Amino acid sequence: MSEKALDDIKNPVSPPTAQSPQPSPSFKQWLSFNQWLWPFCLSEKFKFASKVALSLTLAFLIPMAMGWPQASTAATTVMLIASISSQCESLAKGTFRVIGTIIGAVIGLLLVGLFAQDRLQYMLAVSIIVAIVFYIRNAYTKDPTLFMLTGVMVLMMSNGGDADGAFIYGIDRAFMTTFGVVIYTLVGVFVFPTKAEQNLTQLANELSTLQLKMFERITAQDNYKDENDTVLIQQLYGAQDALEKRYELLRSEHTELAAYKKEWDLALHYYKQLTQLLVSVAQSSDEEDLDRSLLINDYHRTISQIQALFESTQTAWHSTGNEPMLTREHDVAFNEEALKRRSHLQRGSIIAFGYFLNSLQQKLPNLIETIRCIDSVTGRITFKEPQPKQSGMFLWWDAENAKTAIKVFVGYWIAGLFWIYFNPPGGYSFVIFSTIFISLLSFLPIHPVMLLVLFTFGFLFAVPSYVFILPQLTLGIELGIFIFIYTFIAFYLFKGPITIFFLLGLFILGIDNTMNYHFGIILTIMLLFYLVVLMIIISYYVPFSSKPEHLFSTMRERFFRHAAGVMRFSQFTRPTNAKFNLTQLNLVQLNLVQLRYRWHIKTMSVTVNKLKLWGAKTNHQYFGLPSAEPLNAFAEACNLLSHQLTTFELAEQKLRNNRLVAHASEAYSKNDSSQAAIMLIEALASGKEAESISKLYSAYYNNYQDTENKLEHFFKNVDLERCSHKEISGFYILLHLKKNIFDAINQCKATYEDVNWASLRQNRF
């Protein structure tokens, strides 16, 4: 139905007659109902729940109609994929999932054939391979279902050691799993297809709005800075992260994005550069009041032009392709006479600000032109810009990924030994389901006891259906409606892997062509899944604790440890008494140092997201904390420090050959405050008392102030006329970024002292 038709329904217009009839009360009631119904039907949650419900219904009914065995395997596959994957589907994703399923089936059948006569050797081989596969699955940053299906198929190829019909059993399961993948992919692609570009455009406009707000804040006449700057910077970084993560999720899943991948990559590259430019200047205004309009020619006109360019980045998404080519504005010109009468620090600050304006005037037109080329048949990028480096597809060396693999291995053997010695209901299926759910729910922010409650709730919903509804169904269409409604309720009310435990109620019903109603059977299946939930509860504590307060403290230690590593290995923050000197290292040692530096940067960025997650999930009331605000404020302060260090690292790459920076580093290497900063950060990592933290901060503060006090002396002894404006601006940007890092560390220290870390170390179940 068109938008006009919807508007006509919601806002009916009476014909232009002299006496228009008033709508009847029943018509008003219908109109009110329709206004409530349409937003419900058109919501993304409704669409996703409908697609999953349709997929699972077809995965059940088609095999049953064809007389294929193990119809529930195809439905289980749909349930697993829908609960952990994104809501965006593509034929390419479905193809890779089928390939992963076939690879897992081949590996599983080979293991069954090699160790058919030795159960323990088979279990050892399966446990090792499955642990490795699920480690790769967690390290893979794209579609998580690809390697999950491989691991699931390795587990499902065995029927518990029964050699009779083992090969046919494995083939049937592989076929039905592949069938479930195909059904889910086709429904996801052709029913309510997701508009990826629309979502990205909205995120990009939100980011552009914040960038314009930050620019207006920087160029405000009063030049007054307060705490709102920090909040705005956090919002700016958050919007940048949201856009980048969404694009990384969608770019490999949508053909319309793949067709303009070069343009999209370049657009996000420019958005990131604009954010870094704005942040590098945002918190670094001079203490002395400077009227920039007296020192920069046509200052107000330049500011107005840049503001118009920021606004054009939002309207460019709706361009028709016939817009005239943007002309690059002239470089900022300075009032040389007025500039000579200023101090060295003020001159350098104005030159750096002019470089900032020039960079905006260069990058914003390039961004607008890039946006106009997206989805354009004739549009072409006319400027030359190197393509940004792509992030890797795997996140190796993540501690939680390795711990999950160990959990899978240990959980498999605990469940396996329980199966061998106690023979629980379901037999080897108990081992399969326990291992799968342990891998899916490892280090998720939900207590397993809540899963027990959710499964019980699903059971209470399923038993009346088993008694009163299923026996009355005689037609296939009736069964299809029942399955559709049950699945729709599950995915509309719940989100993520926890949906599985409500939907398990559907699978304990034992739906098949020939139904045998026996309450003892359903109780046996229920006991099987209750034992599986018990295994998940055990894995919550063994071998690694998943308690939020424990993980929050762990992430704090890891974050500051890697933040200290970033400063220790950085070119411009490395202490003068470091154990290594880059000029004395050979090529291999230099590569190892750079590799370790990149490892610290990457791990720090990943860890801060986990710190925010577990801080939000920690129950402050249990530990007697007045509110969760101190935990959230500490996590946000760490997030700001992470972004400032990352921005500093990117700027460092561009300043390696800056002569002014090199001269300053040689002149004041003995007065470097980096060692004091590293000692303070390491103290925050180790969780020392507030008194020790304050002493280390005082030393860091004094060293930093001493360095700033000598900057005026440095500029009196350096001839700025021999340095280019680019070198001067680069030097000041470096100083601004160092000041931002200093402010971020100060904020981390202040919020660290507001958290009662001793209470978080209390033991609880």
Side-chain angles (χ1 to χ4, degrees):
M1 185 176 291
S2 65
E3 294 183 1
K4 183 179 183 302
L6 290 176
D7 294 337
D8 292 340
I9 293 175
K10 297 178 183 179
N11 303 298
V13 180
S14 302
T17 57
Q19 294 181 350
S20 298
Q22 297 294 327
S24 63
S26 60
F27 179 77
K28 290 183 178 181
Q29 294 175 359
W30 177 85
L31 182 61
S32 176
F33 171 78
N34 206 38
Q35 289 177 340
W36 168 84
L37 182 63
W38 278 114
F40 172 76
C41 293
L42 298 179
S43 67
E44 293 300 323
K45 184 187 294 186
F46 179 91
K47 294 178 182 178
F48 179 66
S50 300
K51 290 194 294 186
V52 178
L54 179 60
S55 302
L56 197 140
T57 302
L58 294 176
F60 251 126
L61 294 186
I62 293 178
M64 291 174 62
M66 300 297 295
W68 296 339
Q70 303 186 33
S72 61
T73 301
T76 303
T77 303
V78 171
M79 177 187 68
L80 291 176
I81 295 176
S83 62
I84 67 172
S85 69
S86 65
Q87 299 183 12
C88 305
E89 291 301 318
S90 66
L91 295 177
K93 285 179 65 175
T95 302
F96 284 123
R97 286 169 181 166
V98 171
I99 294 174
T101 301
I102 294 174
I103 293 175
V106 171
I107 295 174
L109 289 175
L110 286 176
L111 294 178
V112 171
L114 290 174
F115 304 105
Q117 305 300 323
D118 195 324
R119 181 170 58 184
L120 291 180
Q121 288 187 8
Y122 171 80
M123 294 178 64
L124 178 61
V126 168
S127 61
I128 294 175
I129 291 176
V130 167
I132 295 174
V133 169
F134 279 116
Y135 172 77
I136 298 174
R137 177 252 174 188
N138 289 321
Y140 188 57
T141 58
K142 307 299 181 183
D143 181 20
T145 61
L146 175 60
F147 290 98
M148 180 208 70
L149 290 171
T150 302
V152 168
M153 291 311 302
V154 172
L155 288 168
M156 295 177 64
M157 286 301 98
S158 174
N159 59 352
D162 187 4
D164 296 336
F167 183 78
I168 300 300
Y169 176 86
I171 291 296
D172 287 340
R173 284 214 162 184
F175 172 71
M176 295 310 300
T177 302
T178 304
F179 179 77
V181 171
V182 172
I183 288 293
Y184 185 79
T185 301
L186 293 177
V187 173
V189 169
F190 296 107
V191 179
F192 295 133
T194 305
K195 299 296 183 182
E197 290 190 9
Q198 182 179 358
N199 297 336
L200 288 175
T201 302
Q202 181 180 358
L203 292 174
N205 286 337
E206 292 175 359
L207 174 61
S208 181
T209 301
L210 289 173
Q211 289 176 340
L212 176 57
K213 187 176 181 181
M214 177 63 74
F215 178 75
E216 292 173 345
R217 183 68 180 160
I218 293 172
T219 57
Q221 289 295 327
D222 57 5
N223 206 25
Y224 176 75
K225 306 292 179 181
D226 58 12
E227 294 181 357
N228 291 332
D229 285 341
T230 302
V231 175
L232 188 55
I233 288 175
Q234 291 174 344
Q235 294 175 349
L236 189 60
Y237 276 133
Q240 182 71 43
D241 288 343
L243 178 61
E244 291 179 352
K245 290 178 181 178
R246 187 64 178 173
Y247 176 66
E248 287 293 329
L249 180 66
L250 296 178
R251 70 175 182 177
S252 61
E253 302 175 358
H254 289 271
T255 54
E256 63 267 27
L257 294 184
Y260 296 92
K261 181 178 181 300
K262 175 184 176 182
E263 289 79 6
W264 275 107
D265 289 343
L266 201 55
L268 265 72
H269 179 63
Y270 276 119
Y271 274 120
K272 187 172 184 177
Q273 287 187 340
L274 290 172
T275 299
Q276 292 166 356
L277 270 174
L278 292 167
V279 170
S280 65
V281 182
Q283 290 184 317
S284 53
S285 62
D286 276 325
E287 295 178 0
E288 301 181 55
D289 187 17
L290 285 176
D291 189 353
R292 300 190 184 105
S293 62
L294 300 178
L295 301 172
I296 299 177
N297 297 334
D298 295 330
Y299 175 76
H300 294 295
R301 184 173 69 88
T302 302
I303 297 301
S304 300
Q305 290 172 347
I306 294 177
Q307 289 176 341
L309 288 174
F310 270 114
E311 294 172 353
S312 297
T313 58
Q314 301 188 30
T315 59
W317 294 103
H318 310 289
S319 63
T320 60
N322 300 321
E323 290 80 1
M325 185 70 65
L326 288 173
T327 58
R328 270 58 176 177
E329 299 294 337
H330 59 80
D331 289 342
V332 170
F334 300 101
N335 186 341
E336 298 294 344
E337 294 297 327
L339 200 59
K340 289 180 180 179
R341 294 192 295 269
R342 298 290 180 173
S343 65
H344 288 78
L345 285 175
Q346 291 177 339
R347 289 177 60 193
S349 177
I350 289 297
I351 292 173
F353 192 80
Y355 174 81
F356 164 71
L357 296 179
N358 285 333
S359 298
L360 291 179
Q361 290 187 113
Q362 177 187 5
K363 297 182 183 302
L364 282 169
N366 290 348
L367 173 60
I368 294 170
E369 181 178 329
T370 304
I371 293 174
R372 289 177 178 176
C373 292
I374 296 176
D375 287 343
S376 175
V377 179
T378 59
R380 294 293 182 270
I381 295 177
T382 59
F383 57 88
K384 293 184 178 180
E385 179 77 21
Q387 286 294 310
K389 184 179 179 181
Q390 300 295 328
S391 59
M393 292 190 298
F394 293 92
L395 179 61
W396 305 112
W397 312 115
D398 184 81
E400 276 61 51
N401 294 344
K403 289 179 180 179
T404 297
I406 296 174
K407 276 190 173 186
V408 169
F409 182 84
V410 174
Y412 178 89
W413 276 102
I414 292 176
L417 293 176
F418 188 81
W419 164 57
I420 293 173
Y421 289 103
F422 297 98
N423 192 22
Y428 188 68
S429 297
F430 165 72
V431 182
I432 295 175
F433 284 116
S434 297
T435 307
I436 293 174
F437 291 149
I438 287 174
S439 67
L440 296 182
L441 299 172
S442 177
F443 296 109
L444 278 186
I446 181 172
H447 198 282
V449 174
M450 295 303 299
L451 302 179
L452 185 66
V453 174
L454 189 60
F455 174 62
T456 303
F457 178 68
F459 160 70
L460 296 177
F461 192 83
V463 169
S465 302
Y466 186 79
V467 176
F468 299 106
I469 298 179
L470 283 181
Q472 311 301 323
L473 303 181
T474 57
L475 300 176
I477 188 64
E478 296 174 342
L479 179 62
I481 294 174
F482 169 77
I483 296 174
F484 183 93
I485 294 175
Y486 199 114
T487 309
F488 178 86
I489 293 174
F491 281 92
Y492 191 83
L493 295 180
F494 306 102
K495 183 180 180 181
I498 63 173
T499 311
I500 297 174
F501 288 84
F502 177 81
L503 204 57
L504 284 177
L506 180 64
F507 291 90
I508 69 175
L509 300 178
I511 297 176
D512 203 349
N513 278 326
T514 304
M515 292 292 296
N516 297 314
Y517 294 98
H518 193 288
F519 209 70
I521 297 177
I522 192 173
L523 290 178
T524 302
I525 300 175
M526 281 180 51
L527 179 59
L528 164 65
F529 286 111
Y530 271 118
L531 291 175
V532 170
V533 174
L534 178 62
M535 282 297 306
I536 297 172
I537 295 176
I538 294 175
S539 70
Y540 187 79
Y541 300 98
V542 178
F544 305 105
S545 175
S546 299
K547 294 186 291 185
E549 64 275 9
H550 169 76
L551 290 173
F552 182 73
S553 299
T554 301
M555 297 306 145
R556 180 215 66 206
E557 183 275 333
R558 186 185 304 167
F559 168 78
F560 284 116
R561 174 162 49 85
H562 286 283
V566 170
M567 299 193 68
R568 184 177 289 110
F569 286 91
S570 174
Q571 177 182 356
F572 298 129
T573 59
R574 187 173 60 255
T576 55
N577 60 347
K579 297 180 180 179
F580 56 88
N581 189 337
L582 296 183
T583 60
Q584 301 176 359
L585 299 180
N586 57 38
L587 183 60
V588 176
Q589 293 173 328
L590 183 62
N591 289 333
L592 290 176
V593 169
Q594 293 176 350
L595 179 63
R596 189 171 179 182
Y597 180 45
R598 291 194 297 269
W599 171 62
H600 282 303
I601 283 282
K602 184 65 175 179
T603 308
M604 178 190 66
S605 302
V606 173
T607 302
V608 74
N609 293 325
K610 298 179 181 179
L611 182 71
K612 293 168 61 179
L613 171 66
W614 294 111
K617 296 300 179 181
T618 301
N619 187 354
H620 63 278
Q621 296 178 348
Y622 184 88
F623 297 98
L625 301 177
S627 68
E629 183 60 29
L631 302 179
N632 297 331
F634 175 74
E636 289 297 333
C638 293
N639 186 44
L640 180 61
L641 176 60
S642 173
H643 281 296
Q644 299 289 17
L645 288 173
T646 303
T647 303
F648 187 86
E649 185 264 342
L650 295 174
E652 174 188 289
Q653 299 175 4
K654 302 178 181 178
L655 299 176
R656 295 184 186 277
N657 301 320
N658 190 304
R659 294 178 301 169
L660 191 58
V661 172
H663 182 51
S665 299
E666 293 175 0
Y668 294 100
S669 59
K670 294 182 180 180
N671 197 35
D672 191 5
S673 61
S674 298
Q675 184 61 38
I678 293 173
M679 293 177 62
L680 174 60
I681 293 175
E682 290 177 342
L684 293 173
S686 59
K688 290 187 177 181
E689 299 296 332
E691 183 177 354
S692 301
I693 297 293
S694 298
K695 291 181 180 179
L696 292 172
Y697 176 76
S698 298
Y700 175 44
Y701 179 82
N702 293 332
N703 286 336
Y704 181 82
Q705 291 298 322
D706 186 50
T707 303
E708 282 202 334
N709 293 335
K710 293 186 177 181
L711 282 177
E712 182 69 30
H713 176 71
F714 169 76
F715 274 103
K716 288 181 179 179
N717 297 328
V718 68
D719 187 6
L720 292 181
E721 301 297 333
R722 302 179 60 183
C723 300
S724 66
H725 283 181
K726 184 176 181 180
E727 289 178 328
I728 297 174
S729 60
F731 178 75
Y732 267 86
I733 287 176
L734 182 67
L735 293 181
H736 294 165
L737 292 176
K738 276 198 170 186
K739 182 179 183 300
N740 292 346
I741 292 175
F742 172 80
D743 293 337
I745 293 176
N746 182 24
Q747 188 174 350
C748 287
K749 177 252 181 187
T751 53
Y752 173 89
E753 294 175 345
D754 293 336
V755 178
N756 188 351
W757 297 101
S759 64
L760 293 179
R761 288 191 287 268
Q762 296 177 5
N763 293 324
R764 71 178 183 91
F765 179 72

